[in-house]
Each structure stands twice: as C-alpha cells, then as structure tokens.
Amino acid sequence: MRLFKKAKKEREHGTLTDHIADYLEKRQHRLADWLNQKTNGVSKKLVLYGLIVFCAIAISYLLYIMLTAFS
C-alpha cells in the first residue's frame, strides 16, 4: 500500500536555501520509501484501526495531563 507518494519538482540550484531544501527533500523521499516498504503488506482497514487506537491513546493521555494540571 502506497501511503506516501512522490511529487516531482524541478528547482534551480543556486542558493544555500535551495541546497538545504534539496537535501531535506531527498531525506523525506528516503523516509517515505522506507515507510512504504514497511507498510507494503498492510491493509487499509488495519492502518485505519491502528490510527484510531493511536488517537484514542494520545487523546486520553492529553486529557489526563490536563485534568491533573487543574487538580
């Protein structure tokens, strides 16, 4: 399953910020390729359930922190 898709852009190379942007874009593509390899055999339903569980845990933890801050 391809969760992360590559967007191809042409950019002029000249300034330092262009070089930094190219470096970061290459790193993002490597990370996206690695994540795509890891999730290659996973169904969309399983990814959705994992996302729901992750969000539920994160929300409950943040609510716990907020409630203990006011106590």
Side-chain angles (χ1 to χ4, degrees), residues 9-14 17-23 25:
K9 270 193 238 181
E10 283 295 321
R11 187 180 293 139
E12 292 183 20
H13 301 285
T17 56
D18 290 336
H19 290 291
I20 292 172
D22 287 339
Y23 172 76
E25 189 173 334

Side-chain angles (χ1 to χ4, degrees), residues 1 3-4 30-40:
M1 172 167 59
L3 293 177
F4 304 98
R30 282 181 47 202
L31 178 62
D33 290 339
W34 181 76
L35 289 172
N36 281 325
Q37 287 176 355
K38 292 291 181 182
T39 60
N40 194 16

Side-chain angles (χ1 to χ4, degrees), residues 35-48:
L35 289 172
N36 281 325
Q37 287 176 355
K38 292 291 181 182
T39 60
N40 194 16
V42 180
S43 69
K44 287 186 179 182
K45 187 181 265 189
L46 186 60
V47 171
L48 179 64

Side-chain angles (χ1 to χ4, degrees), residues 57-71:
I57 290 171
I59 288 170
S60 63
Y61 179 67
L62 291 173
L63 285 173
Y64 169 75
I65 289 174
M66 287 173 51
L67 292 174
T68 56
F70 293 118
S71 298

